[in-house]
Amino acid sequence: MSHILLVEDDLSLIEGLEFSLMKNGFRVDVARTVKDAIAALKTSSYDLLLIDLGLPDGSGFDICRKVRQTSNVPIIFLTASDEEVNIVMGLDIGGDDYITKPFKLNELISRIKALLRRARLSESTPTELSSNGITVKLLESRVLKNNREVELTAAEYRLLCLFMRHPNTVLTRQVILDRLWDSGGSFVDNNTLSVYVRRLREKIEDDPDNPVFLLTVRGLGYRWNVRE
Ligand code: CA
């Protein structure tokens, strides 16, 4: 079930949107301010963001900029018609699409589905991930380091794939836990994650005590460091 964050301050709109999204099988969280949206993004992972531009404590663009520092999650802006001139800027800073109020709910739903489809395709198309001398053969679930086979557990493998799909991106511990939980179905807690990371480093780093690929970002999480 795709998880959507709706950022909108207009109560009359929220109600209809929330109902319609849920009816279409989406899980929906609602934030009504920039501040609430940022807080929600820190604690949950979303498949798509629907962001109103005019919010009580700022602009939807502020949220988009912030999100794009760490994530490629699809973003659709909800704009009033007099804001339409701004939309080029919105797309420049990383928005994927926009829809002008008042809009037909059907139209919004089909845009959402299109973006989710595209996001899934771009994640699932590659058959191989490769960086830092490490190659993951996705079809065979095999990992090679400098052409030598590396034996990973299922959890270590998922963790490695997650990092390699998001090079040079800070993945917070919460995002990692959400993703591992989603794909594995079994519960992973913070300490377990630290253990996974240590074991993964022992298998893929040249010097596991001084990692250069899988870096710790203090207070936040980890980053797969790829030097071009
Ligand atoms: Ca508004």
Side-chain angles (χ1 to χ4, degrees), residues 7-10 13 32 52-56 58 78 80 83 101:
V7 188
E8 171 65 64
D9 59 322
D10 183 342
L13 204 57
R32 292 173 57 194
D52 177 34
L53 286 187
L55 294 163
L78 308 175
E83 288 166 332
K101 298 174 192 171

Side-chain angles (χ1 to χ4, degrees), residues 90-107:
L91 299 178
D92 280 349
I93 61 171
D96 295 282
D97 200 359
Y98 71 98
I99 191 161
T100 306
K101 298 174 192 171
F103 47 80
K104 293 204 173 69
L105 286 170
N106 290 348
E107 157 124 41

